[in-house]
């Protein structure tokens, strides 16, 4: 399972840069899970051979994104909890946003910011 997180400036905001990984935790729907940062995954991440996160410039005309992946089955083949939101901080920020998102997951990964 995967969710794409999109990052954009608030109206009238000055351009800024983001590098690295957003901080992501599961929200409502099951036990708390912290997303592990990974460069590459089955459903997203950096292209093969790219081993460092790019710097993404956010402006009125450009956005950034990060992919969050979850495993849908536990190690015994049973179903995972269905979460209805994620708790997200953009890289190098301290404000947490609750983002409505549905994902069935027993474990989570988050991939680096990329231009979106």
């Amino acid at each position: 399972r995967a969710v794409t997180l999109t990052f954009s400036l608030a109206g009238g905001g000055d351009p800024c840069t983001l590098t690295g990984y957003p901080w992501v935790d599961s929200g409502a729907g099951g036990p708390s899970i912290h997303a592990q940062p990974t460069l590459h995954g089955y459903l997203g991440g950096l292209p093969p051979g790219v081993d460092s996160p790019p710097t993404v410039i956010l402006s009125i005309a450009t956005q950034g994104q990060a992919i969050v992946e979850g495993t849908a089955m536990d190690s015994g083949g049973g179903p995972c909890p269905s979460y209805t939101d994620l708790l997200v901080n953009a890289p190098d920020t301290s404000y947490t946003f609750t983002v409505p998102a549905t994902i069935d997951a027993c474990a989570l990964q988050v991939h680096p910011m990329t231009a979106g």
Side-chain angles (χ1 to χ4, degrees):
R1 308 283 191 257
V3 171
T4 301
L5 301 173
T6 303
F7 297 82
S8 59
L9 290 180
D14 291 329
C16 66
T17 59
L18 295 175
T19 303
Y21 300 86
W23 174 88
V24 179
D25 277 347
S26 60
S32 181
I33 303 171
H34 179 69
Q36 297 303 309
T38 59
L39 289 171
H40 316 280
Y42 291 111
L43 302 172
L46 299 180
V50 177
D51 293 327
S52 61
T55 296
V56 175
I57 299 171
L58 298 185
S59 71
I60 295 300
T62 61
Q63 297 179 325
Q65 67 179 21
I67 306 292
V68 177
E69 291 188 37
T71 55
M73 305 291 261
D74 65 20
S75 59
C80 294
S82 183
Y83 295 93
T84 56
D85 56 43
L86 297 172
L87 308 174
V88 178
N89 288 63
D92 299 320
T93 67
S94 59
Y95 189 81
T96 302
F97 291 91
T98 300
V99 177
T102 302
I103 187 167
D104 300 336
C106 290
L108 293 172
Q109 295 180 357
V110 62
H111 304 306
M113 294 290 304
T114 58

